[in-house]
Structures are given as structure tokens and as C-alpha cells.
Amino acid sequence: MKFVTGGTIVQEITADGRVRDIVTHRNRTKEEEEVERREEVIRNLPEFKRERNEGHSLAEQLQTREAEQAEEEKNAPKEYNVHTIDEDEYEHYQSLEESERKKARTRVTEETSDVAAFENERKLYQKDASIRPAQDPLVSMQQQARERAAARARAEPTVTERLRGRVLVRPQQVTNALPQAANPAGDGGNGNLVNYASDSDE
């Protein structure tokens, strides 16, 4: 037998017929506290718990734990809530969809009108460009530079023309070069051109 607390109790009956308990506690000594602590340790051992039917076997503990987990899962809030749409929401969504369609239609009509306007402008520009030539100063400068280079190339003899003897002679040298060219074997000329500067260093 175990006494949890020590003290005296006095019962008192009041005038209205109620019973009142007055408990006076007794202070325990250190020896009594030590004895009680040892008894508590022994009482908490598993074999004594089983005898008092307080402890449960491992299978019973697992079973109760699974039942608690199932109960928690059942009581947990669901992740996906199904929401039904009423008429007001349906009309709202319908109006939003109609406004999106209207925006798309206006965008398409604006794009087609812009493309048509661009095509008209391009055709007009092409007609104007075919009527009057382009007067771009950069293009005209490039054309003039090409023409000057072509004229210089025509004026100067090429290397193959020099080797064949086809040389355009300047007007000062025409009088000296013509008799020599007509008579290649005369006066020790050995058939060579007179007053002609050769490309070779010999």
C-alpha cells in the first residue's frame, strides 16, 4: 500500500447542509521521499506494468498508432476543394471571354488594315522610283569612282598587250615609231621597237 500524501482531514457540515473537507498536509522527510522515489522506479518497470494491465504489447502499440494515424488523415483538411460555379460567376467568366474575343478581333482587323496600308505605300513608292531615278549622293559617288577606274584601265596597256607588242603610242612618238614598225629589218633595228621602255631589267 502506498500513501501519496500524508496529513489530516477534518469534515465540516455547514448550515445549508453541505460537507466541507479541511485537509492539513504533513511535511515529508527526506527519507520518506527517497523511499517513495525507489518505489516509483520499481513500479514503472515493464513487468510490473503488465501485471497491473497498464502496459501494452508491441503489436497493440502499433495497432493503436495506426488507428491514430488513420484518424488524423481523416480529419486533415483536403488539398483539393471542388468549387461549383453559380450563375453569377458563369456570366462573369462569359463576359471576360467575350471581351478577350473582341480584343482579338480588333487586333486582327488593325493588323490587316496596317498590312494593306503598307502594301499600298510600297506600290506607290515603287511606281515613283520607276518614274524618277534615285538621286542618292553616295550611289552617284560610287558610280563615278567606278567609271574613272574603268577609264584608267582602258587607257593603260595590259601586260599581255605589252608582251605582244600592242602598245598604244603617245602622239609625240607616232612619227618615230611608225617607220620603224613598217621596216622591222632596216637600219640595225633587229625588229625591235624604238623608244620603247621594256618591263624587263635587261
Side-chain angles (χ1 to χ4, degrees), residues 49-61:
K49 280 186 177 179
R50 262 184 268 133
E51 284 178 5
R52 290 192 308 268
N53 221 2
E54 292 176 4
H56 300 289
S57 65
L58 181 60
E60 291 174 348
Q61 290 175 5

Side-chain angles (χ1 to χ4, degrees), residues 141-197:
M141 286 173 45
Q142 289 175 348
Q143 184 66 27
Q144 289 174 1
R146 279 192 226 111
E147 289 174 359
R148 275 190 243 127
R152 264 191 256 124
R154 282 192 300 263
E156 295 179 5
T158 61
V159 175
T160 55
E161 289 176 348
R162 287 182 184 171
L163 290 176
R164 290 182 189 163
R166 298 179 189 169
V167 179
L168 297 175
V169 184
R170 296 188 178 130
Q172 319 168 19
Q173 298 175 349
V174 171
T175 55
N176 295 335
L178 284 177
Q180 187 69 23
N183 187 11
D187 298 286
N190 295 332
N192 295 332
L193 292 175
V194 179
N195 294 331
Y196 177 72

Side-chain angles (χ1 to χ4, degrees), residues 74-142:
K74 194 183 295 182
N75 294 335
K78 295 181 180 177
E79 293 181 11
Y80 304 106
N81 292 332
V82 177
H83 179 67
T84 57
I85 298 174
D86 57 353
E87 287 184 25
D88 293 334
E89 280 184 294
Y90 179 72
E91 290 174 0
H92 174 68
Y93 290 139
Q94 220 170 15
S95 65
L96 287 177
E97 189 175 351
E98 282 297 321
S99 64
E100 288 295 323
R101 284 183 192 158
K102 188 176 180 181
K103 286 179 186 176
R105 278 193 300 255
T106 54
R107 191 182 324 118
V108 167
T109 54
E110 287 174 0
E111 286 175 358
T112 53
S113 64
D114 290 344
V115 168
F118 175 75
E119 286 295 325
N120 290 336
E121 291 294 325
R122 189 169 61 86
K123 288 178 184 176
L124 288 174
Y125 179 75
Q126 286 176 350
K127 285 180 184 177
D128 290 345
S130 63
I131 292 171
R132 57 177 172 74
Q135 297 296 328
D136 190 10
L138 184 62
V139 172
S140 62
M141 286 173 45
Q142 289 175 348

